């Protein structure tokens, strides 16, 4: 019997959760934490590190480390880690592989089938890449669930909710808004909207920009590792903010200390344009759901960045009510994915929940009129309930046409050039004197993946050009190469991760400090290396715990 498993593969943090004894149980990783940073680093001995140790190396070894790669899924961006090159999909696969190993160690059995959550606003290509990442990790993504929908499932399960609810999910790199209605056992998603390029990362980058502008330093004058240290400090400063109390950041650069002070009022000014960008998706989701802000019963905040005071304040102002606070915004998506996995397997412990979701964007094809080419003709309109199948008739533009070209786009603009191309193919025709009609049918499934069928009126012939579910432009050969590349990688041994993680944390603390504090951290490094050399497991564990708590008390 395979246990139901849900995975939240986040831009910043990833989690894996199993449905066990009638509830979702989060699985700890090799260092005992429930949250694994979605960061990958190539270590000095060429082995791959994933998680907290890799995150520390983002500060000390930025050129060998990659973070926030989920933002580039489906793009042509390549990450260079030392002398190795990886696609965002391959990096995502390494995170999934690490989560898989944690789950297998925890459960004492192999796992394969999983439910993976994706941002509601992820496009077709990004969803395909997520599936391919799972395949590379030796997992089968039996279902992709939209993150806010997953959160809603876990939330509904706990709270026996009813009424209209807005899920506001602001993570590290994406922003999703979903409006849904509970009348349990039915959860009906009415609308989703979002911004795939807005998240906590942007808030941190704005702080770095503000620092540099105050200090009159040009970004191009700073070396990569100095910049990485500043980014790390800005991230810590951001998470400390509370009310009007001033917090300081101290950066050492070119033999000088650079100081920057921040409280919420100042942060609100720096983030003005980012905060304004949060409004549009909220307004769109509400208007698509035909609701006014005062018709919402609950506001659920999800995602690490929803903990920012200025964000909570904006939400409270927009809706005139306080958001619901009793959930953990970082873990709820993974928990919901596990609930979905249990429902899928019709687990006896989980009460039947009937969930309807929507396609968050408009899908259609390119067409042309007598005068204008490149028009976008919608077939499935945004926020249509899924699964759905819609058909529309098109005509050839001139007699004797030998084929018709079908270009599938996603987006909200009347001209295709401003939308996202999903696929393109040609359907052969028997040339005739008259113009020919064809039906184009779009079927959009529960995973958010699209299939297209074309039927030629004259012959009744059907061209089941089903849109390839493998990522665009990736040939079988390239897929195979990805498989090989990942197979050949040496992964850092799981049982050594606690030690490796502490070493990386010490290196980072050393890089971020000066003077007495730096000497103290230097002495910890020396002690720990000596103890590691003696290979006495018990002694290593004792010293590791001691040093860990000393670092925590130093706020490092
Ligand atoms: P994702 O879903 O993208 O993996 P998370 O939901 O884990 O991300 O959120 C990560 C983001 O939350 C990061 O940008 C991080 O800076 C931010 N974050 C985490 N904790 C806090 C906090 N206490 N205050 C403000 N931002 C936070
Ligand atoms: Mg998330």
């Amino acid at each position: 019997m395979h246990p139901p498993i849900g995975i939240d593969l986040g831009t910043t943090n990833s989690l894996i959760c199993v449905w066990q004894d009638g509830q979702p149980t989060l699985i700890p990783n090799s260092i005992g934490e429930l949250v694994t940073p979605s960061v990958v680093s190539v270590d000095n001995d060429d082995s791959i590190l994933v998680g907290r140790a890799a995150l520390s190396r983002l500060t000390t070894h930025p050129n060998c480390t990659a973070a926030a790669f989920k933002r580039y899924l489906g793009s042509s961006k390549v990450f260079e880690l030392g002398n190795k090159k990886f696609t965002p999909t391959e990096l995502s696969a390494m995170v999934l592989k690490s989560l898989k190993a944690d789950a297998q160690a925890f459960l004492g059995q192999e796992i394969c089938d999983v439910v993976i959550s994706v941002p509601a606003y992820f496009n077709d290509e990004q969803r395909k890449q997520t599936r391919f990442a799972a395949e590379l990790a030796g997992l089968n993504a039996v279902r992709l669930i939209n993150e806010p929908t997953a959160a809603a499932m876990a939330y509904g399960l706990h709270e026996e909710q009813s009424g209209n609810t807005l899920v506001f999910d602001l993570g590290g790199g994406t922003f999703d808004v979903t409006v849904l209605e509970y009348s349990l056992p039915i959860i009906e998603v009415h609308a989703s909207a979002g911004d795939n390029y807005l998240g906590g990362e942007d808030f941190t980058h704005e702080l770095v920009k503000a620092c540099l502008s105050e200090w009159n330093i040009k970004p191009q004058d700073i070396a990569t590792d100095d910049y990485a240290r500043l980014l790390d400090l800005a991230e810590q400063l951001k998470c400390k903010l509370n009310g009007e109390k001033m917090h300081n950041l101290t950066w050492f650069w070119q033999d000088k200390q650079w100081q920057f002070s921040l409280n919420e009022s100042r942060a609100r000014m720096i983030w003005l344009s980012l905060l304004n960008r949060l409004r549009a998706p909220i307004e769109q989701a509400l208007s698509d759901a035909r609701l006014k802000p005062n018709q919402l019963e609950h506001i659920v905040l999800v995602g690490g960045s929803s903990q920012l005071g200025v964000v909570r304040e904006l939400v409270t102002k927009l809706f005139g009510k306080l958001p619901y606070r009793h959930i953990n915004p970082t873990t709820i998506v993974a928990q919901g994915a596990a609930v979905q996995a249990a429902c899928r397997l019709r687990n006896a412990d989980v009460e039947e929940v009937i969930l309807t979701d929507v396609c968050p964007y408009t899908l259609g094809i390119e067409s042309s009129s007598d005068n204008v080419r490149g028009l976008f003709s919608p077939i499935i309109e945004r926020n249509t309930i899924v699964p759905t199948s819609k058909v529309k008739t098109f005509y050839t533009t001139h007699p004797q046409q030998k084929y018709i070209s079908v270009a599938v786009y996603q987006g909200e603009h009347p001209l295709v050039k401003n939308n996202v191309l999903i696929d393109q193919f040609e359907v052969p025709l028997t040339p005739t004197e008259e113009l020919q009609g064809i039906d184009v049918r779009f079927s959009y499934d529960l995973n958010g993946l699209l299939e297209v069928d074309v039927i030629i009126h004259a012959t009744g012939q059907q061209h089941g050009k089903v849109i390839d579910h493998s990522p665009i432009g990736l040939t079988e050969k390239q897929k195979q190469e990805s498989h090989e590349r990942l197979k050949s990688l040496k992964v850092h041994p799981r049982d050594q991760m606690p030690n490796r993680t502490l070493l990386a944390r010490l290196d980072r603390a050393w890089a971020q400090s000066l003077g007495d504090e730096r000497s103290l951290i230097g002495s910890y490094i020396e002690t720990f290396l000596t103890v590691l050399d003696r290979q006495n497991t018990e002694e290593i564990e004792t010293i590791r715990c001691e040093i860990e708590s000393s670092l925590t008390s130093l706020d490092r």
Side-chain angles (χ1 to χ4, degrees), residues 83 213 248 258 305 327 354 360 367 392 416 427 491 495 510 520:
N83 56 7
S213 121
N248 292 321
W258 303 82
S305 304
I327 57 156
I354 300 156
S367 63
K392 210 165 174 174
V416 290
V427 177
V491 178
D495 59 347
W510 194 86
L520 181 65

Side-chain angles (χ1 to χ4, degrees), residues 103-114:
Q104 292 187 161
F106 180 80
L107 297 166
Q109 71 181 103
E110 293 268 314
I111 64 161
C112 177
D113 289 353
V114 293

Side-chain angles (χ1 to χ4, degrees), residues 15-280:
L15 300 94
I16 187 161
C17 187
V18 58
W19 180 268
Q20 226 176 24
D21 305 325
Q23 58 179 1
T25 306
L26 292 159
I27 297 178
N29 59 23
S30 58
I31 57 167
E33 293 178 347
L34 302 177
V35 172
T36 299
S38 310
V39 185
V40 174
S41 186
V42 176
D43 205 350
N44 308 340
D45 65 354
D46 254 11
S47 63
I48 299 294
L49 287 168
V50 174
R52 174 90 33 216
L55 177 64
S56 295
R57 284 170 62 83
L58 196 57
T59 313
T60 55
H61 300 76
N63 292 323
C64 304
T65 311
F69 33 83
K70 177 171 159 180
R71 293 190 107 168
Y72 301 96
L73 271 184
S75 77
S76 56
K77 186 172 164 84
V78 172
F79 286 80
E80 289 190 31
L81 276 63
N83 56 7
K84 295 187 195 312
K85 285 186 186 164
F86 298 110
T87 64
T89 311
E90 290 164 351
L91 294 166
S92 304
M94 292 180 215
V95 174
L96 288 172
K97 236 179 164 166
S98 165
L99 297 173
K100 180 186 176 190
D102 293 332
Q104 292 187 161
F106 180 80
L107 297 166
Q109 71 181 103
E110 293 268 314
I111 64 161
C112 177
D113 289 353
V114 293
V115 170
I116 301 181
S117 60
V118 291
Y121 219 61
F122 245 21
N123 66 35
D124 202 66
E125 183 60 15
Q126 292 166 310
R127 286 169 196 262
K128 287 174 184 164
Q129 295 284 354
T130 305
R131 283 213 150 165
F132 182 47
E135 183 189 319
L136 287 173
L139 291 169
N140 177 24
V142 288
R143 175 78 197 263
L144 300 179
I145 182 171
N146 292 336
E147 287 165 8
T149 310
M153 274 197 104
Y155 174 68
L157 191 80
H158 278 302
E159 308 293 334
E160 290 283 312
Q161 296 302 344
S162 69
N164 291 316
T165 301
L166 183 136
V167 180
F168 174 107
D169 181 356
L170 186 62
T174 52
F175 175 46
D176 273 341
V177 181
T178 291
V179 175
L180 49 95
E181 188 179 351
Y182 289 99
S183 47
L184 289 174
I186 299 169
I187 304 177
E188 200 179 339
V189 176
H190 289 311
S192 274
D195 188 333
N196 273 343
Y197 298 95
L198 177 60
E201 294 270 318
D202 302 290
F203 286 77
T204 309
H205 278 110
E206 283 302 317
L207 287 186
V208 168
K209 262 201 238 159
C211 291
L212 294 180
S213 121
E214 179 168 302
W215 301 329
N216 248 324
I217 299 174
K218 292 197 191 75
Q220 59 268 33
D221 294 340
I222 310 169
T224 317
D225 48 346
D226 289 323
Y227 189 86
R229 280 195 300 109
L230 178 57
L231 198 61
D232 184 17
L233 294 169
E235 167 74 23
Q236 291 173 38
L237 181 65
K238 177 183 84 175
C239 294
K240 272 190 207 151
L241 282 182
N242 61 338
E244 292 318 299
K245 184 170 185 279
M246 278 287 178
H247 291 272
N248 292 321
L249 165 164
T250 310
W251 181 55
F252 302 111
W253 185 64
Q254 295 198 334
D255 296 328
K256 233 184 109 176
Q257 284 197 24
W258 303 82
Q259 296 259 3
F260 184 82
S261 317
L262 191 71
N263 62 5
E264 275 188 357
S265 305
R266 186 162 186 214
R268 203 178 292 118
M269 308 275 284
I270 295 170
W271 291 332
L272 195 62
S273 76
L274 290 177
L275 290 170
N276 276 331
R277 276 173 64 194
L278 294 171
R279 291 169 189 265

Side-chain angles (χ1 to χ4, degrees), residues 526-536 539-540 543:
E526 221 180 296
T527 310
F528 195 49
L529 288 174
T530 316
V531 173
L532 283 178
D533 251 359
R534 287 208 285 267
Q535 299 189 1
N536 174 332
E539 188 191 18
I540 293 174
I543 300 292

Side-chain angles (χ1 to χ4, degrees), residues 49 51 121 166 247 286 301 324 369 394 407 457 463 544:
L49 287 168
Y121 219 61
L166 183 136
H247 291 272
L286 281 175
L301 294 187
Y324 189 82
S369 68
F394 295 86
H457 287 183
H463 285 263
R544 194 177 64 222

